[in-house]
Amino acid sequence: MIALGGIIGASLFVGSANVILSAGPAAILSYLGGGLIVFLAMRMLGEMAAVRPAVGSFMEYARVGLGDWAAYIVGWLYWYFWVGVIAYEAVAGGGMLNAWFPGLPAWAGSLILLAIFVTTNLISLRAFGETEFWLASIKVVAIVVFLGAGLLFAFGLWPDSTLSIANLWQHGGFMPNGFGVVVSSIALVLFAYFGAEIAVMAAAESEDPAKGTRQAANTVIWRVMLFYVGAVLVIVMVVPWNQLPSPDEIPPFAYVFSLLGIPFAEEIMTLVIFTAVISVLNSGTYSASRMFAALSEQRLAPAIMSKRSKRGVPVAAVIASTAGGLVATLVNFIAPSSGIYEFIMNSTGLVALFVFVFIAVTQWRLRAHDAGGAGAAEAQGLAVPGAQHRAHRGGHRHRRHHAPLRGRARAGAHEPHRGRRARALLADRAEEAAAGPGGRRARGCVGGGGLTGDDATAGHEPRSSPVPGRVRSRSGGRRGDRAAGSATMA
């Protein structure tokens, strides 16, 4: 449900009309193309998380795979994106509250919503998850009802309806404005999809990170197909694309419900849209605060931002992220003609594309350096489609290359070897020899990278770090500590 809460927002209930009015019925292809990109991005994150679950998700992976500079850029940009989303949703929610309660100013409604969801996120991760679960449930029920009733109407099975599937190719054809518009509309679609990666970030804090990540990465594609592509398909079948009202007049979902003769359709959908707004506000506060805390843990932000409460909540990061959204919100009300708020909103779409590019480049680098990690991801069903065979062959080359190294290391030979992984392996063996007969077994008990029990006695190698050279000794670093611990235990 966290993945659903992050991916279903007002951009579907309202913004889908803009894509349809631009691309016609071929908007289906735009949503399919955007869904494919998001699916690949989620599988890339899933593959990396299978080897190295981490809060902050792809910022941590960018640091490991590309360097601190990449983590700095992608981390701050991601935080900036979600601070902008917090402001956008707060302004939208405040406007809706003002429409329902004219005596409540829009700015006051925005402040109330910010106060509610900063409190929810400060309580605990469980409070965030439960809130998001119920908000997402409302959206899912609305979409399921919409899909079922809309399909019945399109096939002429709804009372007072006729077969209307021909709307797909009539009124100028399936692609009335050309293929270029379909491709350019993918940028708008990607902004709507952005947020699915929240599931991977939240999985790092769950009781079973591997299972949560695997479920999110493997199920996001059918959710995209069902909710986004299915909803757009129903709209363009029920309503001729060039007769769809502007979303400023009436949201497309509300318009279709009104055609079905459902009473109070517009009021019901307005409530659902409000639910979507506050759901994304809740998810945005969570995402921004966790990224801020991850930046702090990597010393890329003030240290206080990584301080957590007894329930694991980064309190300062939650408050600071909400404060950032509050500033942008107040700018909209205090200086609406300054253009600052519009700049923040318009730049978030470019940030989303930039983050997707970083995810792809990072995964490519990590896969190229770690065939063993790719094999672990493949075993969990998280490998990127089309790359499994390469990872499999890379794993065999890796094992054939290191098999003779293990023998020479045990024999105490000292000869040059190519690659950082080989040097690290030889250093590992030297530490084991210094630790004594029980060193290997003891080290498996101390560090997460070793093996114990039957695996250790059978002579299997300990699993290496996701990136070559990550565990090399640096002036008495990790390996020196592990060797000392092994000697003590032995």
Side-chain angles (χ1 to χ4, degrees):
M1 279 297 179
I2 291 177
L4 286 176
I7 204 171
I8 299 176
S11 54
L12 170 62
F13 296 110
V14 179
S16 56
N18 294 322
V19 180
I20 295 173
L21 291 172
S22 298
I28 299 170
L29 300 181
S30 299
Y31 278 91
L32 281 173
L36 176 62
I37 294 174
V38 174
F39 169 66
L40 292 175
M42 287 291 290
R43 292 302 292 265
M44 291 174 186
L45 285 173
E47 180 176 306
M48 292 185 286
V51 181
R52 189 188 183 96
V55 178
S57 188
F58 46 84
M59 187 215 62
E60 170 66 10
Y61 305 140
R63 184 188 66 81
V64 174
L66 301 176
D68 290 341
W69 66 270
Y72 182 88
I73 293 175
V74 75
W76 279 108
L77 282 178
Y78 190 77
W79 180 82
Y80 169 83
F81 172 89
W82 281 111
V83 166
V85 169
I86 290 172
Y88 176 81
E89 303 299 339
V91 169
M96 298 181 75
L97 288 176
N98 174 255
W100 289 335
F101 308 102
L104 179 68
W107 63 266
S110 298
L111 295 183
I112 290 173
L113 292 178
L114 286 172
I116 290 174
F117 288 103
V118 71
T119 303
T120 300
N121 278 266
L122 283 174
I123 295 175
S124 67
L125 178 65
R126 179 181 294 275
F128 159 77
E130 290 179 352
T131 302
E132 194 59 39
F133 173 84
W134 291 111
L135 293 175
S137 298
I138 295 174
K139 295 184 287 186
V140 170
V141 169
I143 295 176
V144 170
V145 172
F146 176 82
L147 292 175
L151 287 174
L152 291 175
F153 187 92
F155 284 95
L157 302 177
W158 190 266
D160 301 325
S161 66
T162 58
L163 188 66
S164 59
I165 301 177
N167 286 329
L168 287 172
W169 55 85
Q170 292 179 350
H171 309 284
F174 179 73
M175 201 178 297
N177 296 322
F179 184 71
V181 178
V182 175
V183 175
S184 62
S185 297
I186 292 179
L188 297 175
V189 171
L190 282 178
F191 178 78
Y193 285 149
F194 201 69
E197 72 287 340
I198 297 175
V200 179
M201 298 176 65
E205 297 186 73
S206 64
E207 295 180 356
D208 191 346
K211 180 181 178 181
T213 301
R214 182 170 61 252
Q215 289 178 344
N218 288 335
T219 59
V220 69
I221 186 60
W222 70 259
R223 291 170 180 170
V224 169
M225 293 286 291
L226 177 62
F227 296 119
Y228 272 88
V229 180
V232 172
L233 175 63
V234 167
I235 293 173
V236 296
M237 285 196 303
V238 172
V239 185
W241 72 273
N242 54 358
Q243 298 178 21
L244 188 67
S246 168
D248 295 332
E249 300 175 13
I250 179 173
F253 277 62
Y255 183 69
V256 172
F257 273 130
S258 66
L259 294 179
L260 299 177
I262 297 179
F264 306 106
E266 186 171 357
E267 289 77 10
I268 293 174
M269 284 311 304
T270 301
L271 181 60
V272 172
I273 292 171
F274 179 74
T275 302
V277 166
I278 61 177
S279 171
V280 176
L281 177 57
N282 187 38
S283 298
T285 305
Y286 171 85
S287 300
S289 62
R290 265 44 180 194
M291 183 57 74
F292 210 173
L295 283 165
S296 175
E297 290 168 357
Q298 298 300 329
R299 299 183 180 180
L300 302 176
I304 192 174
M305 298 301 166
S306 59
K307 300 293 184 181
R308 294 179 180 264
S309 66
K310 295 181 179 179
R311 297 185 177 182
V313 177
V315 176
V318 172
I319 296 174
S321 299
T322 306
L326 173 62
V327 170
T329 301
L330 293 178
V331 166
N332 175 73
F333 292 109
I334 296 175
S337 60
S338 64
I340 298 176
Y341 179 79
E342 287 74 14
F343 171 80
I344 295 174
M345 296 303 105
N346 294 333
S347 60
T348 53
L350 181 61
V351 170
L353 291 173
F354 196 74
V355 170
F356 278 134
V357 171
F358 258 91
I359 291 174
V361 174
T362 301
Q363 189 269 348
W364 175 73
R365 285 292 303 274
L366 290 179
R367 171 175 280 273
H369 285 298
D370 185 26
E378 183 177 351
Q380 296 188 40
L382 288 170
V384 178
Q388 292 94 329
H389 182 59
R390 177 184 174 187
H392 179 71
R393 291 186 301 163
H396 280 291
R397 286 198 300 269
H398 170 77
R399 286 191 292 270
R400 287 200 302 267
H401 177 69
H402 288 299
L405 293 178
R406 291 196 294 266
R408 289 196 293 268
R410 291 191 185 97
H414 299 282
E415 52 186 279
H417 301 286
R418 295 190 302 271
R420 289 181 293 176
R421 294 180 69 90
R423 292 195 297 270
L425 185 61
L426 288 176
D428 218 15
R429 292 292 163 257
E431 291 169 9
E432 290 172 8
R440 178 171 190 161
R441 222 175 151 80
R443 194 186 63 140
C445 300
V446 175
L451 297 172
T452 57
D454 296 335
D455 286 338
T457 57
H460 291 290
E461 288 297 324
R463 186 172 60 187
S464 59
S465 174
V467 175
R470 285 290 303 157
V471 293
R472 288 185 299 166
S473 176
R474 289 181 288 187
S475 302
R478 298 182 185 178
R479 289 194 178 279
D481 296 339
R482 289 186 180 180
S486 300
T488 302
M489 294 187 67

